[in-house]
Amino acid sequence: MEKSQFEELKNGVQEIIDLIVAKHNKAANNKLLEISEKLDDFLDHSDEDEDLIEISKYQVLLNQLFQKINPEEVEGE
């Protein structure tokens, strides 16, 4: 996978974090969904072990950010 795709993910995650800090949770959640879709697309088209490891790191990070944005959904489980 190209470095530019990982750079795009990195920038998207940073934008989500910035929105959370600014307390714009709805916008952060929307951006998180957008980045999650891109991550899924990257996962579908990757078969290199290094790429899959990097993608899994982003999956964990996005899950943590989701929990930060939506704590009530996590508590209800």
Side-chain angles (χ1 to χ4, degrees):
M1 196 158 87
E2 296 178 22
K3 284 191 174 192
S4 63
Q5 292 174 317
F6 284 119
E7 194 66 33
E8 184 180 342
L9 287 175
K10 180 181 172 186
N11 292 337
V13 167
Q14 184 60 52
E15 189 175 339
I16 294 166
I17 293 169
D18 292 344
L19 289 166
I20 292 170
V21 170
K23 302 205 183 299
H24 295 116
N25 286 352
K26 184 170 181 151
N29 200 42
N30 291 339
K31 187 67 177 181
L32 188 138
L33 292 173
E34 176 187 325
I35 297 300
S36 292
E37 288 177 11
K38 286 182 183 179
L39 189 64
D40 288 343
D41 287 342
F42 294 160
L43 184 60
D44 289 342
H45 297 94
S46 295
D47 53 0
E48 298 279 330
D49 286 345
E50 289 178 20
D51 290 347
L52 296 174
I53 291 169
E54 194 69 21
I55 288 169
S56 69
K57 291 177 186 178
Y58 279 100
Q59 287 175 319
V60 170
L61 179 56
L62 290 177
N63 285 335
Q64 292 294 318
L65 291 172
F66 177 82
Q67 291 174 11
K68 181 74 174 168
I69 296 168
N70 303 291
E72 66 282 350
E73 290 188 30
V74 175
E75 290 174 8
E77 292 182 352

